[in-house]
Amino acid sequence: MNDTPSSTDTPLRVLAIAGGTERDRIEDVLSSLSVTVEPSVDAARSRLDTDPPDCLVVRTDRVDDISSLRAETTLPLVAVVHPGSDLSRMAALDAGATDAVPLVDSNLFERLPDRVGIAVAWQRSRDEATGRISEDLKEQALDEAPVGITIADYTLPDRPLVYVNESFESMTGYSEQAALGRNCRYLQGPETDPEKVATLRAAIDAKESASVELLNYRENGETFWNRVDLAPLRGPNGDVTHFVGFQTDITERVRAEEAAERYAERVDEERARLQTLVELIEGLLEDVTSALVRAESRQELEAAVCTRVAATEPFESAWIGDCDLSPAAVVPNEWAGEHASFIESLEIDRDQSDDPTARAANTRTVQSGVTTDTPGHDARYPSRSTLAVPLIHRETLYGVLTVYADTAELDDEVHVVFGTLGRAVGAAIDAFESRRSLISDEVLELEFQVSDATQPLVSLAAATDCQLTYEGAVLHDDDTLSLFVSVTPPAQFDDEPGDIDGIVSVARLPRGDDVGLYEVVLEAGSLAHLVADAGGRLTDLEVTRTGSRFTTIVPDRAAGRELRDDLERVASGVELRAVRDRSSPPRTRREFVANVGDDLTDRQHTALQLAYLGGFFDWPHGVSGDELASAMDVSRATFHQHLRAAERKLVSRFFETAPN
């Protein structure tokens, strides 16, 4: 066959081998060239003999088509391969194709004419181009290569370096003069891996290639990671005369890999730690839930929660503080674990924003803190970290669970689990409180301090610089309220104090001692009205020119919260000073009678019973005192003494138990 390509300026002549619908595509994309298309390799062979083209373009899925054509011609051969066929681009090149172009719907296939032109140009210029590669050009390429290149003489003792390029000098810091004549081992140092050095030495002794990654040392002592690739160079007789070495600085890559490995190790450790912690906390949540079901009182529930949490690593101790009604401070009710003496003496100010317990109570979210080196924190936090969990059900905050742990700051996963725990405990406490309000004989005694000088009673006390003390109260149908107060020292008030908002009138009442007793009529909306609206009753009240302090009995905590909220809406400086459980007063007639009966002596009870049955309290009297005294076989004076004592106890009990 004649393999000489055309040398005219006419368009390149291409012999394309393609069939089916792909023939049209190839012919169309090569339309800028002079194209002849044959359907098969056999059909193209005769044309190669009679009219050889500049280039062959072969669309085939068979590697034998390419290899057989390559055996018959030296013409440039561009294979067109389909991505879905068994013939890959690399297989086509290995079979002898000059180039391979994918048959795809993109510019990769549309550039087929350019690839044909490039293949033809290389065919025509290859001998001339390779002939221009001089020894000087090769040496210049070695000198300016971006990697370090060294040549060692294998025939000389210790195989010294006889050539280093500029990149090697820049990479190692050793000049050509300092490097030549020495074995390359001078780049090694104390931390260079001896096993990898031994791998290089064994390859050199065996006259084989090798590739290792070494920690080497620059001229200034700085370390760097060096990928060393060695290959033997042989002389005309086949003996190894030199070794060429390629030195690549891979420090950044190695350090990145080491950092990635360290990070992966930390991630694995953290994942394992979190998994262990989550498993512990999930077990804790399950155990606490069981404790909630078994507990028979709020105190038992809170104690069980603290005990179970304190027994779970990494936690050391736990306590629960009740802040359901008190806005001022959180004080431990129940606790367990270490640091008992520290916990027992705690009182967390709700305004202390740097304290996790205070933040949890105020934000109603799980909060945490880490012990710092400041003395104040060391004194307050006995462990490395603190976790504070609000105990919430619906809108009610019942308390805060505070946990101490001997570990660093706790993770978000722990926050989430303890948030769930806090809601579960809050719901259980709510259930206990609701049940207690239904079946318990106990009520709640609240002591308030109100530092609001604008309140009507405070203004009244300030008018004459006296103290008002509660004696009783009556709520009227017109929604005014008569408040009976004793005044110390006795004062003279105007009967119509029109200059004090909220007070309708003030009147002095008769009393058999020197203490001034007054009836103060208050308009609707006073603090005493709010107590009555919450279902409570006043038991004590003291008012001075600076504020008031009063004690009230309410049915339950829900009523207490309502009263506290109402007070804070109408007055400033409201502080709940104390919350105490108390036995409730008699509520039924039978309870009232039994309660009064316990206070009366037998003689007093008899005198009262005879007077009632005999009509002594009717008018006119149905029976005289003398007749009743005779019935009891006592003197008239003694009978009236017993009767007055019984009446006093009966009336006192009535006013003590009657709602205000």
Side-chain angles (χ1 to χ4, degrees):
M1 293 183 183
N2 184 2
D3 294 338
T4 305
S6 174
S7 58
T8 65
D9 294 333
T10 58
L12 295 176
R13 292 180 301 112
V14 177
L15 176 58
I17 302 172
T21 58
E22 295 173 347
R23 170 179 180 152
D24 295 336
R25 288 191 65 186
I26 292 174
E27 190 172 9
D28 181 63
V29 78
L30 293 174
S31 59
S32 61
L33 306 178
S34 176
V35 182
T36 300
V37 182
E38 293 292 345
S40 66
V41 173
D42 291 339
R45 280 193 171 97
S46 60
R47 190 173 291 277
L48 287 175
D49 291 331
T50 59
D51 187 18
D54 296 320
C55 184
L56 285 172
V57 174
V58 183
R59 164 66 192 106
T60 182
D61 292 333
R62 300 176 64 247
V63 69
D64 290 345
D65 290 342
I66 299 173
S67 59
S68 63
L69 286 171
R70 175 52 65 213
E72 299 173 14
T73 181
T74 59
L75 288 173
L77 190 157
V78 178
V80 177
V81 296
H82 196 286
S85 71
D86 294 335
L87 180 61
S88 67
R89 180 176 180 274
M90 291 305 300
L93 294 173
D94 291 341
T98 308
D99 199 355
V101 176
L103 184 60
V104 292
D105 294 329
S106 72
N107 64 348
L108 292 177
F109 177 68
E110 292 170 358
R111 291 186 60 211
L112 180 58
D114 296 335
R115 305 285 279 271
V116 169
I118 293 170
V120 172
W122 171 245
Q123 179 77 5
R124 292 174 176 175
S125 306
R126 177 171 53 192
D127 292 341
E128 180 185 355
T130 56
R132 290 199 299 265
I133 303 301
S134 63
E135 293 302 318
D136 290 341
L137 184 60
K138 292 179 182 178
E139 185 174 350
Q140 183 181 359
L142 291 175
D143 287 340
E144 297 185 5
V147 297
I149 299 177
T150 60
I151 298 177
D153 193 320
Y154 190 77
T155 65
L156 294 177
D158 205 27
R159 297 154 187 166
L161 295 179
V162 294
Y163 170 82
V164 295
N165 70 348
E166 293 181 2
S167 293
F168 177 87
E169 296 181 57
S170 299
M171 181 171 58
T172 65
Y174 288 95
S175 65
E176 181 182 43
Q177 181 178 359
L180 297 185
R182 304 169 63 187
N183 186 286
C184 203
R185 72 172 64 90
Y186 63 80
L187 294 178
Q188 300 171 18
E191 296 183 24
T192 303
D193 188 344
E195 292 185 3
K196 293 183 177 181
V197 172
T199 299
L200 284 180
R201 185 180 300 112
I204 294 172
D205 291 342
K207 304 176 183 179
E208 297 174 347
S209 298
S211 180
V212 297
E213 294 180 357
L214 290 172
L215 183 69
N216 281 165
Y217 290 76
R218 306 187 202 276
E219 191 274 338
N220 61 4
E222 179 185 348
T223 60
F224 72 101
W225 281 96
N226 185 8
R227 189 185 70 207
V228 181
D229 297 290
L230 293 181
L233 301 177
R234 300 181 184 275
N237 60 358
D239 292 336
V240 173
T241 60
H242 296 81
F243 261 85
V244 61
F246 300 93
Q247 325 257 346
T248 306
D249 188 341
I250 58 170
T251 303
E252 291 186 4
R253 193 209 76 195
V254 172
R255 288 178 178 171
E257 290 174 351
E258 290 176 344
E261 290 176 0
R262 290 193 298 270
Y263 177 75
E265 290 175 358
R266 289 197 301 269
V267 169
D268 289 341
E269 292 173 357
E270 182 67 10
R271 184 182 295 112
R273 188 188 69 81
L274 286 178
Q275 183 62 33
T276 301
L277 185 58
V278 169
E279 289 174 358
L280 287 171
I281 293 177
E282 286 177 348
L284 167 65
L285 184 58
E286 182 178 349
D287 290 348
V288 168
T289 302
S290 299
L292 299 184
V293 174
R294 293 192 303 267
E296 296 183 358
S297 67
R298 176 173 178 175
Q299 180 180 8
E300 182 181 340
L301 180 149
E302 293 180 352
V305 171
C306 292
T307 300
R308 186 60 188 86
V309 171
T312 302
E313 294 183 355
F315 310 116
E316 295 182 327
S317 53
W319 60 273
I320 291 178
D322 180 6
C323 52
D324 179 11
L325 285 166
S326 175
V330 183
V331 179
N333 285 344
E334 299 292 334
W335 57 86
E338 303 178 22
H339 321 299
S341 59
F342 163 79
I343 295 174
E344 187 176 7
S345 61
L346 274 179
E347 182 172 335
I348 306 299
D349 190 340
R350 287 277 292 271
D351 294 332
Q352 198 161 335
S353 60
D354 63 340
D355 189 281
T357 302
R359 292 201 308 271
N362 294 330
T363 65
R364 302 193 174 196
T365 60
V366 178
Q367 298 289 320
S368 60
V370 179
T371 304
T372 67
D373 294 330
T374 59
H377 282 79
D378 284 342
R380 295 194 35 217
Y381 299 122
S383 300
R384 292 176 60 192
S385 62
T386 304
L387 188 72
V389 185
L391 308 180
I392 300 175
H393 183 64
R394 295 191 176 95
E395 300 299 323
T396 303
L397 173 67
Y398 284 104
V400 175
L401 166 65
T402 301
V403 182
Y404 299 119
D406 188 18
T407 185
E409 186 173 6
L410 300 169
D411 306 278
D412 292 340
E413 290 86 349
V414 180
H415 283 220
V416 171
V417 174
F418 268 92
T420 302
L421 177 66
R423 290 188 292 273
V425 176
I429 293 175
D430 180 79
F432 279 120
E433 293 300 325
S434 299
R435 184 173 64 183
R436 188 174 71 169
S437 66
L438 291 175
I439 65 176
S440 175
D441 289 335
E442 291 187 347
V443 293
L444 210 61
E445 182 181 83
L446 308 179
E447 181 181 332
F448 287 97
Q449 179 79 39
V450 181
S451 303
D452 187 347
T454 66
Q455 291 299 309
L457 291 177
V458 178
S459 299
L460 184 63
T464 55
D465 195 17
C466 66
Q467 175 179 304
L468 310 180
T469 303
Y470 176 75
E471 299 291 346
V474 175
L475 184 63
H476 303 299
D477 293 339
D478 63 356
D479 212 21
T480 59
L481 185 144
S482 290
L483 188 68
F484 301 100
V485 295
S486 56
V487 180
T488 307
Q492 296 294 330
F493 297 121
D494 294 334
D495 288 343
E496 299 295 336
D499 57 338
I500 299 180
D501 292 337
I503 296 181
V504 177
S505 63
V506 179
R508 183 161 187 165
L509 303 177
R511 181 162 169 164
D513 54 27
D514 294 334
V515 176
L517 180 65
Y518 287 84
E519 178 188 14
V520 180
V521 180
L522 299 173
E523 293 179 353
S526 69
L527 301 188
H529 281 84
L530 297 181
V531 172
D533 292 343
R537 62 184 181 86
L538 283 172
T539 60
D540 189 24
L541 170 67
E542 291 182 358
V543 183
T544 66
R545 64 184 305 138
T546 59
S548 60
R549 183 196 60 79
F550 64 91
T551 304
T552 178
I553 299 293
V554 294
D556 50 37
R557 288 179 178 269
R561 287 191 294 271
E562 178 184 351
L563 175 58
R564 181 199 62 195
D565 294 343
D566 289 343
L567 291 173
E568 290 177 344
R569 277 194 292 270
V570 302
S572 61
V574 176
E575 181 182 353
L576 182 56
R577 301 296 301 274
V579 179
R580 293 179 286 266
D581 291 326
R582 291 287 185 265
S583 297
S584 63
R587 296 183 180 180
T588 66
R589 178 180 180 278
R590 183 182 300 275
E591 291 174 330
F592 180 79
V593 171
N595 194 265
V596 174
D598 290 339
D599 289 346
L600 300 177
T601 66
D602 289 342
R603 288 289 189 174
Q604 292 167 358
H605 198 165
T606 300
L608 187 62
Q609 186 80 48
L610 291 176
Y612 174 72
L613 295 176
F616 182 77
F617 298 111
D618 298 337
W619 187 258
H621 294 307
V623 64
S624 67
D626 291 336
E627 293 173 310
L628 293 174
S630 176
M632 290 183 61
D633 195 21
V634 296
S635 67
R636 182 175 184 276
T638 301
F639 166 76
H640 282 288
Q641 180 181 358
H642 289 319
L643 182 61
R644 282 194 298 273
E647 290 173 338
R648 186 182 307 109
K649 290 181 179 180
L650 177 64
V651 173
S652 298
R653 180 63 66 181
F654 173 82
F655 282 110
E656 287 176 3
T657 59
N660 291 320

